[in-house]
Amino acid sequence: MIKKILIANRGEIACRVIRTARKLGYRTVAVFSEADAQAPHVSLADEAVCIGPAAAAQSYLHVEALLAACRQTGANALHPGYGFLSENADFAQACADAGVVFIGPSPEAIRVMGDKAGAKRVMLEAGVPCAPGYLGDQQDDATLIEQAERLGYPLLVKAVSGGGGRGMRLVHEKAELAQAITSARREAQNAFGDGTLMLERLILDGRHIEIQVFADAHGNAVFIGERDCTAQRRRQKVIEESPSPVVSPAMRERMGRDAVRAAQAIGYRGAGTIEYIVDQDLNHYFLEMNTRLQVEHPVTEMVSGFDLVEWQIRVAEGQPLPVKQDDIVLSGHAIEARLYAEDPYAGFAPQTGPVQWWRPEQALFDGVRIDDGIREGGEVTPHYDPMVAKLIVHGRDRADAIRRLIATLDDTPLLGLRQNARFLRDLVDHERFRAGTMTTTLIDQWLTDGAPLLQRPVASDEAWLMAGALFASRHAGGQGNAQQPLRADSVTGWDIPLQQDTVKRTLRVLTGQRTHSEAVVCHVALSPTDTAHALRVLAQDAERGEARIERDGVQRRVHAVWLGAGEAAQLHLVIDAAVFVFSEVSAWPNQGSALDPSRAIAPVAGTVTQMLVKPGDAVTEGQPLLSIEAMKMEMWLNAQAPGVVKAVHAQPGDQVQAKALLIDIEPTKED
């Protein structure tokens, strides 16, 4: 019998597993790296053990440290979550050898499905349809290139181990193949310790649809509907929903039947997901099986009413599944949006930094669930995946769910670092998403084409006016605190120089005084010569980060959060999930060097993986200089102008901080 569960993971999934375990009466143990000492999952568990430094290889991937934590705390069961060691057969075996119940499938099942090429062979034998590909053991470049020519283009180069889009490259033509093989092999080796590759013919304009399966040790197996994960970028899922807008009941039955057949073919036990690629004719082809709980499992829970973590624990204890296939009835529609610490308007570059504002409890209405692994005052570091939270909604139908998700994104601002909330909002409101005609490559195509969806939102004139009114209110002592007014009563007008991103405007405030109702009346002009607009700041709630502002007789509630102290305080206005940060322009502006072509600056904290230049090398504009890996993503820095490398300040393997100087370049003088 399971008595105490150690969760061998971090972030939102660790918190989610702990909550169910607590609901069932199990004691829990959290593990954490030195970088996660203050993380929410640490304090949520009954006990916690530090298992090593920040690097995952020395902490969350350190098998002996995890088993030692089990012995130290008396935990006789272990839940692996997803990622890290969750699909590592050797780890599952090590748990069994140590007398620790692994809450997941058997090592043998993980091993079979962990080899994507081997898994496809098993599926073909079981009668599950698979896309054409190369699954051979010959791994030299010449063989892979020869097999690619036989398959034709476009195709995918894929690591046989791991998942999450790592070790995967899309190849459109032969000229791209050699670099794709080298890059995919290197990334797979670094991420999974296995550089073995396979080739797969790309299903053009395909949809990614997966089936949730569950099996017990008594021969029972069921499927619990499907999830549509077609909205992806760089093979990473962004939005997931259940049911799929393109799956009919008959198609669901066919896919589910094949998924159960796949699980039974390997004697599966526990939660698993059969992933399919679906072509334009709605034919489905097996991609892989994830032998763990999926990131997107909450949408299945929302439409089924089941707690899948509870099922995992009960099955691990030897109990039978609580339902039969005919008992499963799905209700309504659920959508999950992954909140990533990344900048969609800069190529989805990962972001790190402090979490200055995060209060998801303010958005928790009926039909809304938020799974997160961050807290206000914490830090998003470069050591782990950039996903920081999941926003899940349930509605009567798909339109209902989309509307609720948009409202939830609006009402759950994450401040302190760039994130993808506005992009998610625009995506689920896009005509292609609403029509159910997304494909797995559409977002990447939008990125290539510079589509409006991926253009950074611009603050409207109304946003500037509201910012001006709030700054004027602050100057007039209207913050609801004891600070003294910064303007004398005799001053009837002044200029406020504001900056938002790279845009600067000097707003003219003609008055700033209180009415009898204590509302601050401001007459704000968008320039010293423009017509003034009358606004009243009716209320500001610092605890909720909200302000109520009236303009032309219409009151509007907006998220308005002041971060920082004194004259350096910045106003964060959140409008339709976009965050606009306003600050007063200093009389002594700081001349930064981020755009200086003579200096290559690290865009984020991370690890230098490749350095392609040395002192004395001549470089051309756009030439790749070095790559940095952060949050499991590889980014390249290119020369901004022609020149000669003067000095190199980092080498492969070096850990660098954001904005660190990496290369000095002497620009070539124009004739």
Side-chain angles (χ1 to χ4, degrees):
M1 295 294 293
I2 293 174
K3 295 181 179 179
K4 186 184 292 186
I5 302 172
L6 183 142
I7 296 88
N9 219 294
R10 64 178 299 279
E12 66 86 14
I13 187 58
C15 295
R16 186 260 174 278
V17 173
I18 290 170
R19 290 189 180 99
T20 286
R22 174 175 292 174
K23 179 185 73 173
L24 297 175
Y26 296 101
R27 295 303 178 188
T28 56
V29 179
V31 293
F32 62 95
S33 70
E34 293 172 356
D36 279 341
Q38 303 303 317
H41 74 282
V42 177
S43 57
L44 194 60
D46 297 300
E47 300 173 74
V49 179
C50 181
I51 52 171
Q58 302 174 56
S59 52
Y60 297 106
L61 294 173
H62 195 314
V63 173
E64 182 50 42
L66 292 166
L67 294 178
C70 288
R71 292 191 296 269
Q72 185 177 354
T73 60
N76 67 336
L78 179 147
H79 194 298
Y82 54 71
F84 293 132
L85 293 168
S86 63
E87 294 181 283
N88 187 300
D90 292 339
F91 178 54
Q93 186 62 57
C95 289
D97 294 343
V100 174
V101 176
F102 183 79
I103 302 177
S106 68
E108 294 77 14
I110 296 174
R111 189 167 285 111
V112 170
M113 287 303 190
D115 181 339
K116 291 183 174 63
K120 284 199 169 184
R121 297 188 193 102
V122 173
M123 293 301 100
L124 289 169
E125 292 176 3
V128 179
C130 297
Y134 172 68
L135 313 174
D137 296 328
Q138 295 296 320
Q139 288 290 301
D140 58 280
D141 287 8
T143 298
L144 292 173
I145 292 171
E146 178 186 354
Q147 293 297 325
E149 288 294 291
R150 291 182 179 179
L151 281 172
Y153 302 93
L155 58 78
L156 292 172
V157 178
K158 299 174 66 173
V160 301
S161 300
R166 292 182 293 281
M168 184 185 300
R169 297 293 184 271
L170 172 61
V171 179
H172 295 92
E173 56 187 24
K174 184 177 180 179
E176 302 172 356
L177 183 59
Q179 182 178 355
I181 290 171
T182 300
S183 178
R185 183 180 285 134
R186 180 182 63 248
E187 187 174 60
Q189 185 66 45
N190 291 339
F192 315 120
D194 182 0
T196 307
L197 302 176
M198 58 180 281
L199 304 177
E200 182 176 274
R201 187 75 166 88
L202 182 68
I203 303 297
L204 292 173
D205 297 326
R207 297 188 70 93
H208 186 127
I209 299 176
E210 59 192 30
I211 299 289
Q212 176 72 62
V213 293
F214 230 105
D216 61 24
H218 304 276
N220 303 307
V222 298
F223 68 92
I224 315 173
E226 82 281 0
R227 297 186 289 258
D228 194 317
C229 308
T230 301
Q232 302 179 10
R233 55 109 180 109
R234 294 173 182 161
R235 303 291 164 181
Q236 292 273 7
K237 299 168 186 174
V238 178
I239 298 286
E240 301 99 352
E241 59 181 316
S242 182
S244 168
V246 302
V247 173
S248 66
M251 182 179 175
R252 180 176 302 117
E253 181 66 25
R254 290 194 301 272
M255 296 176 74
R257 188 170 58 248
D258 282 343
V260 169
R261 184 182 298 120
Q264 291 175 328
I266 60 171
Y268 198 76
R269 184 187 70 241
T273 299
I274 303 296
E275 300 200 350
Y276 297 113
I277 188 72
V278 176
D279 66 18
Q280 292 177 303
D281 296 323
L282 299 183
N283 299 307
H284 62 277
Y285 302 94
F286 173 84
L287 283 178
E288 62 184 6
M289 182 179 191
N290 290 133
T291 54
R292 54 170 168 81
L293 199 67
Q294 291 280 84
V295 174
E296 57 271 22
H297 75 275
V299 295
T300 296
E301 294 184 321
M302 294 288 256
V303 296
S304 69
F306 302 140
D307 183 330
L308 298 187
V309 172
E310 177 179 346
W311 281 28
Q312 283 187 298
I313 296 171
R314 294 193 185 282
V315 166
E317 280 192 319
Q319 299 180 33
L321 292 178
V323 299
K324 302 295 185 182
Q325 188 67 60
D326 291 343
D327 299 327
I328 297 174
V329 178
L330 307 180
S331 174
H333 198 99
I335 307 178
E336 173 181 289
R338 299 189 185 190
L339 189 66
Y340 283 107
E342 64 183 14
D343 187 352
Y345 314 111
F348 294 98
Q351 305 292 300
T352 59
V355 178
Q356 295 180 296
W357 182 275
W358 175 246
R359 303 186 183 183
E361 64 278 1
Q362 295 179 189
L364 293 179
F365 298 99
D366 288 345
V368 176
R369 166 177 165 181
I370 298 176
D371 290 5
D372 64 350
I374 55 174
R375 65 158 57 111
E376 197 172 295
E379 185 93 5
V380 175
T381 72
H383 305 294
Y384 313 113
D385 192 272
M387 191 187 75
V388 295
K390 302 182 306 195
L391 282 61
I392 313 106
V393 299
H394 181 261
R396 182 181 61 184
D397 53 29
R398 192 166 186 262
D400 195 23
I402 290 174
R403 183 175 59 254
R404 288 187 178 184
L405 181 56
I406 289 173
T408 304
L409 288 163
D410 289 346
D411 294 338
T412 318
L414 169 60
L415 307 180
L417 68 167
R418 294 191 188 275
Q419 32 72 19
N420 68 334
R422 174 57 180 264
F423 167 72
L424 293 170
R425 185 189 199 280
D426 290 342
L427 176 59
V428 298
D429 200 28
H430 193 277
E431 59 183 4
R432 290 292 299 270
F433 185 88
R434 283 189 176 272
T437 59
M438 295 289 296
T439 68
T440 57
T441 58
L442 185 57
I443 294 177
D444 295 329
Q445 187 60 53
W446 284 339
L447 182 61
T448 300
D449 296 343
L453 185 79
L454 287 162
Q455 302 301 310
R456 193 177 301 282
V458 176
S460 65
D461 285 351
E462 183 177 19
W464 281 92
L465 289 171
M466 288 191 291
L470 289 165
F471 270 94
S473 172
R474 184 179 179 86
H475 285 189
Q479 264 293 89
N481 56 31
Q483 73 175 39
Q484 294 298 314
L486 301 181
R487 304 287 174 182
D489 291 340
S490 59
V491 176
T492 59
W494 69 90
D495 291 338
I496 301 181
L498 294 182
Q499 179 167 349
Q500 188 276 312
D501 205 5
T502 60
V503 180
K504 296 180 181 179
R505 277 182 165 181
T506 299
L507 276 59
R508 182 67 176 172
V509 178
L510 301 180
T511 60
Q513 61 187 18
R514 294 185 183 278
T515 65
H516 293 298
S517 64
E518 292 297 301
V520 176
V521 179
C522 304
H523 295 272
V524 183
L526 292 172
S527 74
T529 59
D530 197 14
T531 302
H533 302 263
L535 294 93
R536 285 200 305 161
V537 180
L538 301 174
Q540 294 188 66
D541 187 333
E543 180 62 28
R544 293 186 59 84
E546 294 178 351
R548 186 166 289 277
I549 301 174
E550 181 185 87
R551 179 189 173 193
D552 298 332
V554 178
Q555 298 181 15
R556 180 175 181 179
R557 177 180 63 85
V558 295
H559 287 284
V561 180
W562 292 94
L563 296 175
E567 295 185 10
Q570 293 182 316
L571 172 64
H572 294 243
L573 272 185
V574 184
I575 300 174
D576 296 338
V579 180
F580 301 106
V581 182
F582 293 88
S583 58
E584 286 201 67
V585 179
S586 169
W588 298 275
N590 177 33
Q591 298 296 328
S593 58
L595 301 179
D596 185 349
S598 70
R599 296 157 64 86
I601 305 295
V604 297
T607 302
V608 176
T609 55
Q610 294 186 74
M611 179 65 69
L612 302 185
V613 296
K614 60 183 184 300
D617 285 354
V619 297
T620 59
E621 183 176 354
Q623 177 180 332
L625 302 174
L626 74 153
S627 65
I628 294 178
E629 183 179 292
M631 294 178 169
K632 303 178 183 178
M633 178 178 173
E634 190 175 69
M635 293 169 290
W636 284 90
L637 269 68
N638 301 326
Q640 300 300 306
V644 176
V645 176
K646 292 170 55 181
V648 173
H649 303 289
Q651 296 299 325
D654 288 355
Q655 296 279 336
V656 297
Q657 296 299 313
K659 300 182 180 179
L661 174 62
L662 303 180
I663 299 175
D664 279 311
I665 298 175
E666 184 172 345
T668 302
K669 296 181 179 179
E670 297 182 2
D671 295 335

